[in-house]
Amino acid sequence: PDADVYAQIQDLAKAVVSAQNQAAEWGGNPEKLFLMGHSTGGTMAAVLSAQPSLVTDLGGKRWLGTFVLDASSLDIERTMRLWSPEMFKYAYGADANKWPSASPYALIDAQAIPFFIACATFRPDSSCEQAELFKEEKAKPLNIRVEISPQKLNHGEVNDKLGLRSSYTYSAELFMASLDPEIAKRLH
């Protein structure tokens, strides 16, 4: 909690590398990893997916996909301009020059990892709108896959309900299966 979001992003990148390095011991494949984060954790997972060099430059490998569950923001600069609530100022600071380094919208490049973005439709600040803008304005021109899954849920429920038997969970499973034939075999 003493680290700012910029340090936390670096910590997350190191954690991905660590998990990949230990995956074989756990019976896993380091190249078949999926990242998932909710709220600000979703934003940070999206940062790594938008800019996978943050992991690969540390010796890590690319992973299959990233689940972003109702991110606090995909465009930090826009969020700070339009909303600027105290919690965002606390998380991202007042220095506008730093905001792009924590913004998936600003960081995405042609090497980005595929995204599954679940957004809460019962949220007043329209995370679904940001997801659509991210997909259309940034990912699509780079031919980066972004699947958006609007959910008639609130912010917390987007996290709590994934994994329960539902069309929401099934859409997430289909996303994984589309990226890994072994998962596809298990679904059928």
Side-chain angles (χ1 to χ4, degrees), residues 68-82:
V68 179
L69 307 181
D70 210 37
S72 58
S73 177
L74 292 171
D75 184 349
I76 304 302
E77 294 167 285
R78 181 175 187 264
T79 296
M80 296 300 278
R81 276 193 322 273
L82 295 179

Side-chain angles (χ1 to χ4, degrees), residues 83 120-127 129 154-155:
W83 292 94
T121 60
F122 296 163
R123 180 175 160 184
D125 59 350
S126 189
S127 64
E129 179 184 336
N154 67 35
H155 180 65

Side-chain angles (χ1 to χ4, degrees), residues 23-24 61 77 129 133 146 155 186:
K61 298 172 176 58
E77 294 167 285
E129 179 184 336
L133 290 171
V146 174
H155 180 65
R186 282 186 249 148

Side-chain angles (χ1 to χ4, degrees), residues 20-176:
Q20 288 176 331
N21 289 339
Q22 296 178 63
E25 294 173 36
W26 303 331
N29 181 334
E31 294 177 8
K32 294 194 175 197
L33 182 74
F34 285 87
L35 297 185
M36 181 182 293
H38 173 251
S39 194
T40 299
T43 299
M44 290 190 291
V47 164
L48 296 187
S49 198
Q51 192 72 211
S53 62
L54 292 168
V55 171
T56 59
D57 287 353
L58 297 174
K61 298 172 176 58
R62 291 178 59 82
W63 56 99
L64 290 178
T66 299
F67 289 88
V68 179
L69 307 181
D70 210 37
S72 58
S73 177
L74 292 171
D75 184 349
I76 304 302
E77 294 167 285
R78 181 175 187 264
T79 296
M80 296 300 278
R81 276 193 322 273
L82 295 179
W83 292 94
S84 202
E86 286 306 311
M87 98 173 177
F88 288 117
K89 285 182 187 174
Y90 176 78
Y92 298 103
D95 183 356
N97 294 319
K98 289 181 79 175
W99 298 340
S101 65
S103 178
Y105 189 89
L107 291 171
I108 192 168
D109 68 18
Q111 299 305 309
I113 304 288
F115 294 82
F116 179 95
I117 302 174
C119 54
T121 60
F122 296 163
R123 180 175 160 184
D125 59 350
S126 189
S127 64
C128 292
E129 179 184 336
Q130 272 203 25
E132 286 292 339
L133 290 171
F134 177 73
K135 178 180 180 176
E136 295 301 318
E137 293 177 359
K138 300 302 273 191
K140 194 180 265 185
L142 295 170
N143 201 29
I144 302 301
R145 182 174 171 193
V146 174
E147 286 193 28
I148 299 173
S149 181
Q151 297 301 314
K152 293 179 181 177
L153 301 168
N154 67 35
H155 180 65
E157 290 171 333
V158 167
N159 189 48
D160 296 340
K161 302 289 184 184
L162 184 61
L164 301 178
R165 189 177 303 256
S166 66
S167 59
Y168 174 31
T169 296
Y170 186 64
S171 66
E173 290 171 338
L174 288 176
F175 173 74
M176 290 189 299

